Amino acid sequence: MVAYVLSLEEIDETQIALVGGKAVHLAGLSRVEGIRVPPAFCVTTAAYRRIVATAPGLGHQLDRLTHVESDDREAVRTLSEEIRRTLEALPIPDDVEGPIRRELSRLGERQPYAVRSSATAEDLPTASFAGQQDTYLNVVGPETVLRHVSRCWASLFTERAVIYRMRNGIDQRKVQMAVVVQQMVFADASGILFTADPVSGNRTIVSVEASFGLGEALVSGLVTPDVYKVRRDVIVEKTIGTKRLAITASSEGGTRRDAIESTRQGQPALTDNAVLRLAQLARRIEAHFGSPQDIEWCFAGGDFQFVQSRPITTLFPVPARDDDGENHVYISVGHQQMMTDAMKPLGISMWQLIAARPMYTAGGRLFVDVARDLASPARRAGLLMLAKSDPLIGDALEAIVAREGFLPSLPNDSNADVPVRFVAETAPIETDPAVVAELMAGSEDSLAALERDIQTKSGAALLDFILTDIAELKRILFLPRSHQAIMAGMQATWWLNEQLAAWLGEKNAADTLAQSAPNNVTSEMGLALLDVADVIRQHPEVVAFLRRVHDDNFVKELTRLRGGRETRDALEGWLEKYGVRGVGEIDITRPRWAERPLALVPILLGHVEHFEPGAGKRRFEEGLTEARKKEEELLERLRVLPNGEEKAREVKRMIDRLRTFIGYREYPKYGMVSRTFLYKRALMKEAERLVQDGVLREREDIFYLTFAELQEVVRTHRADDALIRRRRDEFRSYQSLRPPRVLTSDGEVVAGSYRREGVPAGALVGLAVSAGVVEGRARVIADIAEADLEPGDILVTAFTDPSWTPLFVSIKGLVTEAGGLMTHGAVIAREYGLPAVVGVEHATRLIEDGQRIRVHGTEGYVEIVR
């Protein structure tokens, strides 16, 4: 039998589709020992569906709404009002009205009630939807309650709720509304609290906000509340707000605003003891739900009652690990790799297999725990070299080191295992191009052997083979000689910048000296795509064809066009070398260009339109000329200084060292993604067999399994479809999170800052990584596939991994939110001579697309030109 009304006692967590998130959480709250919850019942989504069924035209209205874009505010407003009017005008059927009246009779017909929405897409673990639907307070009498239930149903389609769902990808036709009817509490004080600090994310802090009267004054922003921070039963911060009004119940129903007498405005709404008691109750609620909670509370008659609890959805998760009672400090791997997007489980587990030390996961991202490295003075010194590459990480780590008692005290063990991902071996290495050639040849020989051998493997033997080959990949990645070569280029950069600034007052001179350095596979990739555009440009029929292609099969269709065969050969030649790359390439589950060549078409067409033939070679030669001119100029200026000849010889030696090794910085990652792409091709063939055998629904299901889980599926021919579906949902929720650079095991996001003077007021500060000053139109781009760039534009984006390099030839400046001195975007910007500032926090929000900006790549800041 369909239940149109359920009491709190009848509701459990399995009924979220019937009663919505708010009602489920309220029912759970009512079962927490020692927690008082006002009596309530829920008008279920079955009642909502019953109502909707009486209005056939509503379906057509919802269909129209699904085709409206969230940016079209006028259309959203018009359709939303139309749907609300329809719902409010519908009479409530007797079989729905009867159960509501019976519950009101049971709880008290003349009692005042709060009538509140409980949508099926509300108070979820991944999206709270707080404040998106309406709440009605002090509703008295059955007729009034029924009228407000209808208004609550209609509030499902407020403009703000509709737009919120649009932006969260929730189908307007599928969301449904239940309604909670709960006895009112006439509170002396009320408010909200968070069982984790909503700003820093610290899970050891309970943050309490309190005001006089009903909580609507605080929620609506009408008063400045008292704010308390409680850590482990101690109030560590207290700010008493000036509370000039309170919302109270009106005798006629509804609420009113009452002015608070001046002598009482600055008095606390709660005593300190009451705050501590409230924090203890909040921890009890949090323990029941198993995650940090956003809680609404009331204080009446000397006791607390709770009217809502929902998960805090804005917190970044804490990496999961066994609780050893110690504090931990996690550094984001994504910020080092210039790919801060969420990764799927297979991609994460592959990285964990490849890594030289344990990696922990949170929110679909990888982190390294460096607490013990920071605790050891010798290991700390090496780790804090990060400050050179990413000052925000370095400053955050310095702040943690300065905290008394946070880190364990370890002996100064100079032989400790310093994190190899951050600090490489620095033993001297000869400045000889043969070193780089030998390292690259060794990697390519090993890759060729893998490509030959992996084709003979399938089933469980394939996964065992890949696991064995990962050991070979790690051997190549962590060759001491390879690390020495990388560090030689980095140290030469630092030395040149420091010494030339001291001797000549020349800032970031190494940026120009590094232009068009040899053996940089990533910068060569961008220039080589210009050569492909040169072939396309000669054939108008091919250009016209490319303007209308919509799928990845276009390469096969080229041969039927005049000039198509030449185009295909040029493109396939490029893909043979560089097709292993793609956006987010560190995640094996992300498509590479060899799989999605369509992603290259807009870039190629842009190159055809905006560049002259031979641009690739010309750009390289221009960079080389600039580097040589800079070298000659610097050496000439040095020779006239005291001890000038000696200084010039030393600088010349370091320039040669820089140009010998700086390009190799990009090669190990290219070798790694080349190797993992061979793994992926073989795994996708295996996934296809699993689909054919009915084990998996689709090939991409393997992306939501760890490598070990995939091994088990291949071995047993059984897969957990529910697990795969849950992992898909989790991944979708992780995509909206912004990972922090540094995170503690308390959940605290430790944000570093730039310690710099002389930056103009209003400028956005970042890290100077490629010298020069440039002004132009900002193009704020989140997805490379949507890049619409013209020569002279300045690219503003969250991060740029190597896949963005083909765009670099079209721009004249770069601004990113993530990045350091030696991350890929910075290295390529220097190679191409593009002024660049990275690590500009919130750049994609603070800079508007189309704004004119000025990038100070030498000083490290960005100005918005008014």
Side-chain angles (χ1 to χ4, degrees), residues 324-645:
D324 57 7
E326 293 187 6
N327 291 325
H328 298 277
V329 180
Y330 301 101
I331 292 179
S332 163
V333 173
H335 281 85
Q336 295 298 301
Q337 292 295 327
M338 290 296 283
M339 206 293 281
T340 56
D341 289 348
M343 296 171 66
K344 298 185 182 76
L346 183 61
I348 285 175
S349 66
M350 290 296 293
W351 261 84
Q352 290 173 317
L353 290 169
I354 293 168
R357 60 184 287 162
M359 287 191 172
Y360 301 93
T361 64
R365 276 78 171 188
L366 285 162
F367 293 84
V368 174
D369 181 11
V370 297
R372 299 188 73 78
D373 303 294
L374 290 174
S376 166
R379 297 162 77 177
R380 182 191 312 151
L383 183 62
L384 291 179
M385 286 177 67
L386 270 176
K388 283 182 175 288
S389 181
D390 190 327
L392 292 177
I393 290 180
D395 189 64
L397 295 180
E398 292 276 14
I400 291 170
V401 169
R403 293 181 180 179
E404 188 174 346
F406 188 83
L407 295 170
S409 180
L410 296 180
N412 190 359
D413 180 6
S414 60
N415 295 318
D417 176 26
V418 179
V420 296
R421 282 205 175 273
F422 304 121
V423 183
E425 296 185 37
T426 57
I429 187 171
E430 64 274 23
T431 303
D432 182 356
V435 172
V436 173
E438 180 185 328
L439 288 166
M440 292 170 64
S443 177
E444 288 165 8
D445 289 346
S446 178
L447 189 67
L450 169 63
E451 187 168 18
R452 180 191 65 236
D453 296 341
I454 200 169
Q455 296 179 36
T456 65
K457 304 293 189 283
S458 63
L462 169 65
L463 279 88
D464 291 342
F465 174 80
I466 290 174
L467 207 52
T468 301
D469 191 76
I470 285 174
E472 170 67 2
L473 171 56
K474 292 173 73 170
R475 182 191 69 79
I476 294 170
L477 279 177
F478 304 123
L479 276 172
R481 199 158 177 77
S482 179
H483 283 275
Q484 290 164 9
I486 293 170
M487 287 305 296
M490 294 169 67
Q491 289 171 335
T493 300
W494 298 333
W495 188 94
L496 286 165
N497 283 339
E498 290 168 4
Q499 293 305 121
L500 291 171
W503 290 339
L504 298 175
E506 185 87 24
K507 284 191 173 182
N508 299 338
D511 295 356
T512 305
L513 296 168
Q515 287 188 37
S516 298
N519 298 313
N520 189 319
V521 68
T522 305
S523 63
E524 291 166 0
M525 172 180 69
L527 298 178
L529 199 62
L530 284 169
D531 297 339
V532 178
D534 285 349
V535 175
I536 295 171
R537 190 183 292 106
Q538 302 171 53
H539 307 293
E541 191 176 334
V542 172
V543 174
F545 169 75
L546 291 177
R547 292 192 190 285
R548 61 178 186 269
V549 297
H550 297 292
D551 62 62
D552 293 301
N553 293 322
F554 76 92
V555 179
K556 296 177 181 177
E557 300 174 32
L558 284 168
T559 54
R560 61 183 176 81
L561 305 172
R562 187 179 294 108
R565 192 174 300 277
E566 295 89 335
T567 299
R568 182 203 61 186
D569 292 347
L571 183 55
E572 287 185 341
W574 190 91
L575 288 170
E576 186 176 349
K577 184 169 185 181
Y578 304 113
V580 299
R581 314 217 79 156
V583 176
E585 63 192 17
I586 67 170
D587 182 353
I588 194 175
T589 71
R590 295 282 287 267
R592 310 290 179 87
W593 281 323
E595 299 169 297
R596 298 275 178 86
L598 184 66
L600 295 167
V601 170
I603 303 172
L604 284 166
L605 290 173
H607 289 354
V608 167
E609 181 178 353
H610 298 305
F611 290 93
E612 295 295 325
K617 183 177 181 182
R618 192 161 52 251
R619 287 287 295 268
F620 183 83
E621 292 297 333
E622 287 170 356
L624 192 58
T625 299
E626 284 290 314
R628 287 171 175 166
K629 281 175 57 180
K630 191 67 175 178
E631 177 180 331
E632 291 171 6
E633 174 213 324
L634 293 170
L635 295 177
E636 187 175 326
R637 290 167 60 191
L638 285 167
R639 289 189 182 105
V640 301
L641 298 178
N643 300 319
E645 288 296 337

